[in-house]
Amino acid sequence: MAQIKPSLAKGTRDFSPLEMERRNYIFNTIKDVFRKYGYQEIQTPSFENLQTLTGKYGEEGDKLIFKILNSGDFISKISAEKFATLHSNSITPLIAEKALRYDLTVPFARYVVMHQNEITLPFKRFQIQPVWRADRPQRGRYREFYQCDADVVGSESLLNEAEFILVYQEALSSLGLKDFVIKLNNRKLLAGIADIIGKPELLIDMTVAIDKLDKIGLVGVKQELAAKGFSTEELAMLDPIITLSGSNVDKLATLKEVLKSSEMGQKGIEEIEMVLAYAQKLDANALPYIEVDITLARGLNYYTGSIFEVKTNEVSMGSIGGGGRYDDLTGMFGLPGLTGVGISFGADRIYDVLLELDLFPESTTKTTQVLVTNFDQSTEDYALSLLQTLRKNGIASELYPVAAKLKKQLTYADQKKIPYVIFIGAEELSSGMLTIKKMITGEQEKMAADDLFSYLINTADPN
Amino acid sequence: MAQIKPSLAKGTRDFSPLEMERRNYIFNTIKDVFRKYGYQEIQTPSFENLQTLTGKYGEEGDKLIFKILNSGDFISKISAEKFATLHSNSITPLIAEKALRYDLTVPFARYVVMHQNEITLPFKRFQIQPVWRADRPQRGRYREFYQCDADVVGSESLLNEAEFILVYQEALSSLGLKDFVIKLNNRKLLAGIADIIGKPELLIDMTVAIDKLDKIGLVGVKQELAAKGFSTEELAMLDPIITLSGSNVDKLATLKEVLKSSEMGQKGIEEIEMVLAYAQKLDANALPYIEVDITLARGLNYYTGSIFEVKTNEVSMGSIGGGGRYDDLTGMFGLPGLTGVGISFGADRIYDVLLELDLFPESTTKTTQVLVTNFDQSTEDYALSLLQTLRKNGIASELYPVAAKLKKQLTYADQKKIPYVIFIGAEELSSGMLTIKKMITGEQEKMAADDLFSYLINTADPN
């Protein structure tokens, strides 16, 4: 077998034990909150039939879907004459009928349609799985990354939206974040703005431009809108909307006035007010985290009602979550008229935020709690029985697997971040008093084995 | 967007909420035991560079690796003239440079080599991730399935083998299995048998034939061995070995006698005895689960020492676990001389076993504990505040999201297996006494809200 210098595929990552514990800490915290709000976990396969995915993510998205080469003699059906007439796009469906999951939403829509006779509406599911995109890898952008979604389908109630705000608030607070904002907008409100301007056909252009306010400023947005065909009068009308400020109540009052001629706009305002009212009744403490943000469009074409985005103010970072309501989630698979609303946590970014703010608790490190030393054959029998008693008491423990120098064993404990080392030598064996060393402080204590168990159960991290 | 009748890719599965909870129950039970024995979780990417995987699984295995089509204009580099000279095997490396993980062992070997400066030997890791194989799907065989592995590299100590036996025993017992056997063999012992027969070059043929004893019987095995070139005398010598019986001690005594002229064979027996001795010292209760089985070869060429296989006697099912020791795990990636030993749990089969034996605990269903009914606007404010107080007390709860008929709400609770329903109507609101219905029995009780919380905390499943 030829030797190969090992390397990772471009844009992919290994996760070490420490990274895994930290990732699990984030996922478990979010899962607990999802469950508390009635969401249940599902999983869908890593690959789908290619036709399930193509055409759902726009032309650019289609290019970024990883296709899986058919197995067997996939090429024999293509003659050299035919080959000469093909290009990469036209040959792909001939040699690849499967593709890797690009997001969790489309497979979820497929799931709902295929399992419509088993599920009870409203169906509240969460899903935490990797997705794959053939993006050019760069700092913070990977070709394999996890999405962490919760959605409910089959319920129009805006209570769902309010609960998602609480899910964000509770999960992020549990992770130790303090200063974050949950931005709320409504697509109908944006449509209402287009309405009063009289250019509904430019709605997408308008939201895309408004979305850039942070980056290019009011002048830039207006330049872009002018280039798209908005007149000076229309831009003047938009002005108070784009520069809207004050409390949520202030903003909504201004909007009501500006949009009074647009039924659609009024409906959007009403929906936002209803979401805020529900959130307040559920937990008034969540209100300060919510910010009505008319510039929030998330560049997405498929939201039809509420739009969410979450940002932290503690670290400079893009959004760490987002979502919204989309009518007709399942229409693409032949089940029309089912409304859905969902949110997503940006787990990779949250990881970076917690790391930067030093918010990972020490106790996320679910490593071995105790290393029992191994010096010679004569103490091994005692050590083995002690070892197993520790484990029976729920304490994750290891015996160093061979007799070795003390330094080597301590280095092992140190590098694996094992907090306690128990020494068993001839002296310990004859006196019945074991020495326990607390690695972080270097302190050593002597105690009988029975006292040791209760000492460790009371002080060691639960595993 | 054209409508597509949704379907799953061949050989893949969706997992419903109930299936997910049960799968998580199995994985969490196994993970807890892995951790208790000092194993730490890692993850590797779903796809690797194709050259990392090819040549590691034999010719048949290579065919079953799913290759990922290069993105972009992958075909333009191939002229029609060149194309005419290519077949599927020779074109694959030109258009696919990545491939999906086929098992967890090869990516782990790559991990160890790439991270050799960060990890401390012995390195004990576990890994639970899906793998993909382009097998023909059939009952119980999928193209995407999870492997659940623990391995230690860099330690020759047979304590590791003994601990793996305890890991099996503890994990399977925790899952409720009672009657299972952990089969133990040693490749050196098999080599010793080939030694005394004088045909070491036929070792693989011999182990493959011996492995079929259960299926084709002694006569069949002998016929197969004769066809491979074993003489009548040699087959007579093999006879007592293939039909070995009695306790582990009996078997080892017979083997010692038969293999007395083979140094390799004696070494194999010694290793088995050492593993048994370690297991006994750790926990004598594990011994009855261990069966020395000379026919165990697992058809695998790369084990060099201990070989494990686990079977349940409660259900007719293939092996539910297996593993062994392999010298030079990482040699293929340029780091020679590192020994490894590992085991694997067959999670899909264990799932089927637990299902057939009805061993999934009711409490694995981490569904919503309480549904609060929704009859009209007037009770909604009270319901919302109650709902959030339930959640703050750690009780997973839902409010039915719109006012609806009682029957509809009870059907929802029933189908989602929510154990408790709290009624809030005009009467409850005025009296302050809430009605709680226990769905499984139909019993109803009235109690004040405060009593309700403690009632639910004490009786409901913890989430």
Side-chain angles (χ1 to χ4, degrees), chain A residues 10, chain B residues 48-51 68-70 92-93 95-99:
Chain A
K10 210 164 59 172
Chain B
E48 297 275 352
N49 290 319
L50 182 57
Q51 59 172 11
I68 297 172
L69 201 56
N70 293 345
T92 296
I95 61 176
E97 61 192 24
K98 296 175 292 295

Side-chain angles (χ1 to χ4, degrees), chain A residues 22-85:
Chain A
R22 288 175 168 171
R23 289 172 65 84
N24 285 337
Y25 165 72
I26 293 173
F27 290 136
N28 289 337
T29 303
I30 296 171
K31 279 182 193 178
D32 282 349
V33 179
F34 282 161
R35 289 203 179 98
K36 217 194 277 184
Y37 283 78
Y39 289 82
Q40 297 180 304
E41 187 169 14
I42 70 160
Q43 284 189 349
T44 63
S46 298
F47 55 76
E48 297 275 351
N49 290 319
L50 182 57
Q51 60 174 7
T52 300
L53 304 187
T54 41
K56 311 301 189 300
Y57 307 105
E59 207 177 314
E60 272 312 299
D62 277 356
K63 285 189 200 153
L64 301 183
I65 295 172
F66 279 116
K67 287 94 182 172
I68 296 172
L69 201 56
N70 293 346
S71 15
D73 191 9
F74 59 88
I75 211 78
S76 67
K77 291 145 221 153
I78 303 174
S79 67
E81 291 72 44
K82 176 130 193 234
F83 179 82
T85 71

Side-chain angles (χ1 to χ4, degrees), chain A residues 247-264:
Chain A
S247 70
N248 292 336
V249 174
D250 293 343
K251 287 177 185 171
L252 290 168
T254 307
L255 286 167
K256 258 185 216 170
E257 182 58 31
V258 178
L259 298 180
K260 62 178 176 240
S261 67
S262 162
E263 204 178 320
M264 184 66 99

Side-chain angles (χ1 to χ4, degrees), chain A residues 245-412:
Chain A
S245 64
S247 70
N248 292 336
V249 174
D250 293 343
K251 287 177 185 171
L252 290 168
T254 307
L255 286 167
K256 258 185 216 170
E257 182 58 31
V258 178
L259 298 180
K260 62 178 176 240
S261 67
S262 162
E263 204 178 320
M264 184 66 99
Q266 294 297 328
K267 177 88 178 117
I269 293 167
E270 237 171 65
E271 289 193 4
I272 292 177
E273 286 179 331
M274 182 83 97
V275 172
L276 294 174
Y278 269 128
Q280 171 148 39
K281 286 174 189 170
L282 282 166
D283 187 352
N285 295 323
L287 280 195
Y289 293 95
I290 311 172
E291 180 188 317
V292 173
D293 183 353
I294 198 74
T295 73
L296 175 62
R298 287 185 62 76
L300 281 169
N301 305 339
Y302 61 85
Y303 291 134
T304 52
S306 305
I307 307 173
F308 305 109
E309 188 168 271
V310 185
K311 289 200 168 172
T312 168
N313 295 320
E314 298 175 83
V315 174
S316 166
M317 178 75 68
S319 72
I320 54 173
R325 183 175 285 272
Y326 36 85
D327 290 342
D328 205 20
L329 169 69
T330 54
M332 57 180 139
F333 297 117
L335 183 67
L338 213 50
T339 182
V341 55
I343 58 168
S344 187
F345 283 85
D348 282 300
R349 284 185 175 172
I350 291 172
Y351 185 99
D352 290 343
V353 169
L354 297 193
L355 202 62
E356 189 164 335
L357 297 175
D358 199 16
L359 285 176
F360 285 109
E362 271 303 310
S363 63
T364 58
T365 312
K366 283 190 187 167
T367 185
T368 305
Q369 289 300 303
V370 173
L371 177 72
V372 179
T373 57
N374 191 341
F375 293 122
D376 56 40
Q377 202 68 32
S378 71
T379 55
E380 206 179 60
D381 285 12
Y382 184 83
L384 288 167
S385 124
L386 175 74
L387 177 68
Q388 210 55 18
T389 312
L390 285 164
R391 289 172 179 160
K392 290 228 154 106
N393 280 287
I395 300 162
S397 308
E398 290 179 52
L399 172 66
Y400 198 79
V402 288
K405 292 218 169 94
L406 174 61
K407 187 162 182 291
K408 193 167 180 187
Q409 300 189 49
L410 288 179
T411 302
Y412 178 80

Side-chain angles (χ1 to χ4, degrees), chain B residues 216-251:
Chain B
I216 60 176
L218 183 60
V219 174
V221 171
K222 285 191 170 183
Q223 276 171 354
E224 184 163 328
L225 288 171
K228 294 289 180 188
F230 283 90
S231 70
T232 313
E233 292 78 16
E234 287 158 355
L235 290 178
M237 282 179 73
L238 273 178
D239 202 277
I241 290 174
I242 305 179
T243 59
L244 207 64
S245 65
S247 71
N248 291 336
V249 174
D250 294 342
K251 287 179 186 170

